[in-house]
Amino acid sequence: MSMSMSVKFPGFFVLASLIAFASLCSAEEVKLAVGSVTSIAQTDDNFVCATLDYWPPTKCDYNQCPWGQAGIFNLDLKNKILSNAIKAFDSLRIRVGGSLQDQFLYKVGNLKKCPHLRKKDGGLFGFSKGCLEMQRWDELNNFFNDTGAMVTFSLNALFGKRQPINNASAWFGHWNPQNARDLMKYTISKGYKIESYELGNELCGVGVSARLEAEDYATDLIALKNLVRELYPDKDSQPKVLGPAGFYDEKWFKEFLQTTGPDVVDGVTHHIYNLEAGVDPNLIHKVQDPYYLSQVAETYKNVSRVVEEYAPTAGAWVGESGGAYNSGGKDVSHTFVNGFWYLDQLGMTSTFNHKVFCRQALIGGNYALLNTTTFIPNPDFYGALLWNRLMGTNVLQTTHNGSPYLRAYSHCSKSNSGVTLLLINMSNSTTFDISVQNDLNMYPGAFQSTNAVNDQREEYHLTPECGNIQGDVVLLNGKPLKLTESQDIPELKPKLTNGDLPIRIAPDSIVFVTIKGFHAPACA
C-alpha cells in the first residue's frame, strides 16, 4: 500500500523532503560582538568548584532519599570513577560543608564526647549533633591529596553558642574556637593542605535552620582569621578565610563587612538556589526560560557591588548552588537540560566579577555532577570540565543582536591564544548562525570581523542523545560521552571548522568555541 501511494503521489514526497531539507538548512543569522580591548571582570584560576556534603542516607525529601552513600562519612573514596573525575580537572576546588556542618564536632584534642549523628525531632534539619573522627579526616585528606583537589573546609560556627528559646531569635554567645584549633593543629601536623576555611552555613540574614546577628558573626570570623594567622604564620601558604556562606541579605552583609573591616575576609561566599524547590513541576520550564534565569543577575550585581565597596581586597564567591533546593529535581537536575541553568550561571557570575562558583554537589542528591550510585558522570560534569579546560580568567564583554534564547559569554582562552565562547541555545526549534565580530572599543561601531581569519576554529557541541533533554547521556560533536573500558574520563576532542564560516548552533545545544586567531588586546 505504501508503494502504491508513493507512485500515485510522488510530488507529495518530494515536497515534504524539500520542506524538511529547508527547515534543516534555514537558520537565524546573528551578529555577536566580543569586546576585546579590556576585560570586564576576572575569575579565580579555579573558578569551577564542587561540594561534598554531610548528608546521611536518611536525608529524605518529597518521599525520596536521593543521597544514598554519597555523604562524606559513607562515600567510597576508593571508587576509581570518582578519583578519575576529580583528576580530570587538574586541581578541582572542592568545598566540604553543608547544612549539617554546624552540628559536627571533631574528635581531636581534649574533646570527650563526640556524638553519633542520628535523626532527631527538634534538631537542626531534623538531625542530632554528629562527630568527625580523625580516621575519616585522614582518609578524606589522603583522597584529596591523591586526586589533586583544592580543599575548602567549612567549620562549625555554633560551637560554644547557645540556642534561643524562641527559634525565631538568633543564637547568642561567643564562638568557641578550641575544637577548630585542635583540628587545624592536627591537620598541620599531618601535612594536609587546606586552601581555605569557611565559618558556618546559611546562618546569615533570616537564616535557614539557625541564624546569627551580623555583628556577632563578624566577631567570630575575626577570631577565625586570628587563629589561621597564628597557626599558619607563612603568608604564602596561609589558608584563606571565607564567609558568611548563606543567602544574600544586603543589610546583614553590609553590617558584617563593616564590622570585620579590611583584610579579614578573603572570599565573601553566598548561596544561590534560584530555581526554588526541587519538587516544583515548573522546574523543567524554568531551566529553559532566559527571562526567569536572568532574574538572579540582580543578586550577583548587588553582591559584587557590596564586596567592592566594603571588602575590596576580597572577592565574591558562589559558595554553594544546586539550582533547586532539597536535593534538586529528580527528573531535571541531573539531566542534559539542567546545563542550560548551570552553564548560564557560570557565565553570568563570571561577568559580575565572581571568583568561584561551587556546584552542589560533586556527588549526592539529584543535582550532582556524578550519579549518586554508579558514579558515572552526568551531563553537567562535561560542561563543567570543558569550562575548566577552555575558559580563562579574563572575562570579555559579549553582546549579540539575536534571540534572548541564545546566551553568549566569552573569555580569553585558558591555555591558547585568542578567545573562547560559550554559546547556549535554549530554543527547541531555532538554529542560529553566528558571525563573531571583534569590537575594538576605541570608537562606536568600530568592528573588525573575525570571520576573515583563516584559522580553523575548535568547536565542542554538546547535545542530548536522541534529542531527549531529560536524558543522562550527552553527545560531544555527535558522539556519546562514555567512560572508557578502564573507567577513565573520555577524551574531549573538538571539531575543527573553517573559520570563514558562521558558527552553527543547533536547537537545545551548548557549544564551546575556541578562536585562536582572534586578536584581543585584553588577552595579550
Side-chain angles (χ1 to χ4, degrees):
M1 181 176 179
S2 60
M3 183 177 294
S4 63
M5 286 185 66
S6 65
V7 172
K8 189 174 181 180
F9 303 108
F12 171 81
F13 290 97
V14 172
L15 179 61
S17 298
L18 288 173
I19 292 173
F21 181 75
S23 65
L24 288 172
C25 293
S26 63
E28 181 177 319
E29 295 184 356
V30 176
K31 290 183 179 180
L32 184 149
V34 176
S36 65
V37 174
T38 59
S39 61
I40 60 170
Q42 192 169 47
T43 69
D44 188 84
D45 286 333
N46 298 87
F47 175 70
V48 173
C49 165
T51 68
L52 289 175
D53 213 313
Y54 285 75
W55 289 120
T58 51
K59 157 65 173 171
C60 305
D61 296 290
Y62 319 127
N63 298 315
Q64 54 172 317
C65 306
W67 279 86
Q69 303 296 311
I72 62 170
F73 297 101
N74 300 303
L75 184 61
D76 180 8
L77 301 178
K78 296 181 180 179
N79 185 280
K80 188 174 180 181
I81 300 174
L82 176 64
S83 177
N84 287 339
I86 296 174
K87 289 178 180 178
F89 283 85
D90 190 23
S91 191
L92 174 64
R93 184 185 294 277
I94 293 180
R95 180 224 186 201
V96 181
S99 299
L100 298 182
Q101 73 180 58
D102 293 310
Q103 295 165 251
F104 268 82
L105 307 178
Y106 319 121
K107 187 68 171 68
V108 64
N110 295 322
L111 187 71
K112 295 180 180 179
K113 293 183 179 180
C114 206
H116 180 71
L117 182 74
R118 57 182 176 82
K119 296 280 283 186
K120 179 184 178 182
D121 292 337
L124 298 184
F125 299 98
F127 287 90
S128 69
K129 292 182 179 180
C131 179
L132 173 58
E133 302 274 357
M134 290 303 96
Q135 180 180 347
R136 188 57 174 174
W137 185 238
D138 292 339
E139 292 169 352
L140 286 166
N141 279 280
N142 289 331
F143 173 74
F144 295 143
N145 182 64
D146 290 343
T147 57
M150 177 181 288
V151 180
T152 293
F153 185 72
S154 293
L155 295 161
N156 180 346
L158 297 181
F159 187 60
K161 290 185 174 290
R162 286 173 285 175
Q163 187 172 5
I165 298 175
N166 178 3
N167 287 333
S169 300
W171 287 53
F172 58 96
H174 295 294
W175 175 60
N176 183 345
Q178 186 60 51
N179 198 214
R181 171 187 287 274
D182 291 339
L183 178 67
M184 287 185 194
K185 290 176 70 175
Y186 179 87
T187 300
I188 294 167
S189 72
K190 289 285 190 173
Y192 302 147
K193 294 181 180 179
I194 302 297
E195 194 269 347
S196 47
Y197 287 103
E198 189 176 44
L199 186 63
N201 186 81
E202 297 176 354
L203 301 171
C204 56
V206 298
V208 176
S209 191
R211 73 180 185 91
L212 297 175
E213 298 292 354
E215 186 175 351
D216 290 343
Y217 179 82
T219 300
D220 297 337
L221 200 73
I222 292 171
L224 173 59
K225 185 69 172 185
N226 289 336
L227 179 60
V228 169
R229 285 171 172 162
E230 175 192 342
L231 298 181
Y232 296 88
D234 182 1
K235 290 186 177 180
D236 293 334
S237 60
Q238 192 176 93
K240 297 181 178 69
V241 170
L242 314 176
F247 297 102
Y248 182 65
D249 177 299
E250 184 152 321
K251 180 181 178 182
W252 195 101
F253 269 59
K254 283 183 176 180
E255 184 178 350
F256 154 62
L257 292 173
Q258 285 175 318
T259 305
T260 57
D263 302 324
V264 172
V265 188
D266 299 301
V268 180
T269 51
H270 67 108
H271 294 181
I272 292 290
Y273 283 88
N274 56 314
L275 299 177
E276 301 180 328
V279 74
D280 186 353
N282 291 317
L283 182 59
I284 182 64
H285 305 296
K286 288 179 177 179
V287 296
Q288 301 176 80
D289 183 353
Y291 301 97
Y292 182 87
L293 295 178
S294 294
Q295 292 174 14
V296 74
E298 190 71 15
T299 298
Y300 295 140
K301 184 188 75 171
N302 290 338
V303 172
S304 182
R305 172 179 50 81
V306 168
V307 171
E308 178 63 27
E309 182 176 356
Y310 294 96
T313 59
W317 293 30
V318 173
E320 179 185 316
S321 182
Y325 57 76
N326 288 341
S327 302
K330 67 182 181 66
D331 298 320
V332 175
S333 298
H334 57 90
T335 70
F336 177 86
V337 73
N338 196 67
F340 293 162
W341 164 79
Y342 177 45
L343 288 165
D344 187 53
Q345 295 300 293
L346 293 183
M348 192 185 302
T349 51
S350 66
T351 64
F352 286 107
N353 209 30
H354 280 54
K355 308 307 178 185
V356 174
F357 189 103
C358 293
R359 169 68 177 263
Q360 173 82 349
L362 176 61
I363 188 166
N366 295 310
Y367 43 30
L369 296 178
L370 304 177
N371 183 285
T372 299
T373 54
T374 67
F375 293 79
I376 292 173
N378 287 323
D380 279 353
F381 172 87
Y382 293 107
L385 187 55
L386 283 170
W387 177 291
N388 183 73
R389 291 180 177 180
L390 301 175
M391 304 289 273
T393 59
N394 285 340
V395 187
L396 305 175
Q397 182 70 45
T398 312
T399 57
H400 67 78
N401 65 349
S403 164
Y405 285 84
L406 173 65
R407 304 290 249 210
Y409 302 97
S410 64
H411 288 216
C412 297
S413 295
K414 188 164 190 175
S415 56
N416 295 307
S417 60
V419 302
T420 296
L421 309 176
L422 167 61
L423 305 167
I424 307 170
N425 187 355
M426 299 181 189
S427 171
N428 61 10
S429 59
T430 304
T431 298
F432 296 104
D433 274 350
I434 300 175
S435 298
V436 181
Q437 298 179 323
N438 189 348
D439 180 359
L440 294 173
N441 266 342
M442 301 301 292
Y443 306 101
F447 297 136
Q448 174 184 320
S449 174
T450 62
N451 288 337
V453 176
N454 293 323
D455 290 355
Q456 288 182 319
R457 292 192 304 264
E458 295 180 352
E459 299 184 1
Y460 303 79
H461 293 254
L462 299 176
T463 54
E465 186 178 48
C466 300
N468 179 15
I469 61 173
Q470 288 184 262
D472 290 338
V473 179
V474 60
L475 310 181
L476 173 60
N477 298 325
K479 296 181 179 180
L481 287 172
K482 296 183 178 181
L483 297 174
T484 67
E485 291 183 1
S486 58
Q487 296 185 323
D488 290 320
I489 302 302
E491 189 176 358
L492 305 182
K493 293 182 179 180
K495 177 176 70 173
L496 300 180
T497 306
N498 187 339
D500 293 336
L501 299 176
I503 304 168
R504 173 154 289 199
I505 311 298
D508 285 334
S509 69
I510 299 166
V511 183
F512 289 89
V513 182
T514 295
I515 309 174
K516 294 181 180 180
F518 192 103
H519 299 294
C523 304

